Amino acid sequence: MDDFDVDKFLRLESNAFSQDREVERILSLRHSEDPFLILGLGEDLYIKLKVTEKEIKMQFRKKSLLVHPDKAKHPKAFEAFEILKKAEQQCLNPARQEMIFRAIKDARDEVFYKRGIKIIETKERSMFSDEAPEEMDFDKIKRENPGLAEDIQKQFYLNLVDKLRRDTLRLKNGLGREIKMQDLLIKEAKIQREEKKKLEKTDDSGTKSWKKFEATGVKKKKKKEKPLGSLPF
């Protein structure tokens, strides 16, 4: 018992607790459409809308040390690591990154508007003026607005839910129109079949009547023509 290292034991226990907590955090975000949130890139991303490839890779490495199945004892560590790996790939994909950034920016602008934060679009320095364009002081905004990043994340989620609802409604309406069109086409085809049958029946009836007439009909006698110039007595 004299060789027992209390500090080492507490460090290991603390590390195991951190690993389990991170695995559970990632698993809770398995259906999230925000890979930056899965990587846990921090509030600066949601406020400044800036992240580098180096930061993404560094954050992935840091998180993978906590959830990698070779290091974490959590039974679902492998699943969490796969989710984390997929999130990193999405964050490094330029097209996917641009789409998510656009959605985050929309959410950020909504939150800024609600909080009365002035939005200044970044402009390039004019060649006709020495005055530098006005820029947003994000560090000051963050200091003066606690919980800002969390509100942006919530708004991003609400916008996503609203988009999914509208897409579902649009899909239902589209399917409804398609089903109605299919019903009309089926009805039209049915009417055409019925009309065709009527015509065929009429044709058959006419043909049979003519054949019957030819077989049993009474032929009219031709009048005997008198020769020209003959006298009537």
Side-chain angles (χ1 to χ4, degrees):
M1 290 295 292
D2 294 338
D3 296 334
F4 181 70
D5 191 335
V6 177
D7 291 335
K8 183 179 179 180
F9 173 77
L10 290 175
R11 279 198 305 273
L12 290 173
E13 286 295 308
S14 176
N15 190 47
F17 175 75
S18 299
Q19 289 173 334
D20 288 349
R21 187 172 59 182
E22 186 59 26
V23 168
E24 292 294 338
R25 185 192 74 83
I26 293 172
L27 290 173
S28 70
L29 297 170
R30 59 163 68 86
H31 301 301
S32 175
E33 293 291 326
D34 184 359
F36 296 104
L37 181 62
I38 295 172
L39 281 180
L41 277 162
E43 59 184 25
D44 279 355
L45 171 69
Y46 295 91
I47 297 173
K48 298 181 180 180
L49 294 178
K50 276 186 179 182
V51 68
T52 64
E53 183 179 329
K54 183 179 179 181
E55 288 172 332
I56 292 170
K57 290 182 176 180
M58 189 182 296
Q59 184 69 4
F60 169 74
R61 177 166 174 75
K62 187 167 71 174
K63 293 294 182 183
S64 64
L65 290 172
L66 289 173
V67 302
H68 197 283
D70 290 345
K71 299 183 180 297
K73 295 179 180 180
H74 195 287
K76 292 188 176 182
F78 177 78
E79 184 181 349
F81 179 73
E82 288 298 309
I83 295 170
L84 187 72
K85 188 163 66 174
K86 183 180 177 182
E88 184 209 22
Q89 291 170 354
Q90 289 182 330
C91 289
L92 292 173
N93 182 301
R96 179 70 172 161
Q97 186 182 115
E98 182 183 355
M99 184 180 72
I100 295 169
F101 264 39
R102 192 162 54 244
I104 292 174
K105 183 181 183 302
D106 289 342
R108 188 196 71 174
D109 289 352
E110 285 185 59
V111 173
F112 277 19
Y113 177 77
K114 289 175 184 177
R115 290 195 176 214
I117 302 171
K118 183 181 177 183
I119 300 171
I120 303 170
E121 297 295 339
T122 305
K123 296 179 181 179
E124 295 183 1
R125 183 190 291 270
S126 173
M127 62 183 292
F128 302 107
S129 174
D130 293 332
E131 186 179 348
E134 187 179 4
E135 294 183 356
M136 298 185 73
D137 188 345
F138 290 111
D139 292 327
K140 182 181 178 182
I141 290 170
K142 190 168 66 174
R143 285 196 307 271
E144 295 177 349
N145 293 272
L148 184 60
E150 289 81 358
D151 284 354
I152 295 171
Q153 288 174 355
K154 288 176 185 176
Q155 190 62 51
F156 173 85
Y157 174 75
L158 290 173
N159 290 354
L160 178 65
V161 170
D162 184 57
K163 182 180 181 300
L164 289 172
R165 182 186 62 78
R166 285 186 279 109
D167 288 348
T168 303
L169 187 62
R170 191 159 48 243
L171 180 62
K172 284 182 178 178
N173 290 337
L175 286 174
R177 285 193 295 271
E178 187 177 339
I179 290 168
K180 285 180 181 177
M181 182 59 70
Q182 287 177 352
D183 289 342
L184 287 172
L185 290 172
I186 290 169
K187 287 179 181 177
E188 186 179 349
K190 186 179 178 182
I191 292 169
Q192 287 178 352
R193 285 196 301 271
E194 290 174 354
E195 289 295 326
K196 187 178 179 182
K197 284 180 181 178
K198 286 180 183 177
L199 289 171
E200 287 174 352
K201 190 175 180 182
T202 303
D203 290 343
D204 289 344
S205 177
T207 303
K208 287 176 182 176
S209 298
W210 177 252
K211 286 181 179 178
K212 185 178 180 182
F213 173 77
E214 282 186 330
T216 62
V218 180
K219 295 182 180 179
K220 290 182 179 180
K221 292 181 180 180
K222 291 183 179 180
K223 288 183 179 181
K224 192 175 181 181
E225 296 181 358
K226 295 179 181 181
L228 294 172
S230 59
L231 297 173
F233 51 85

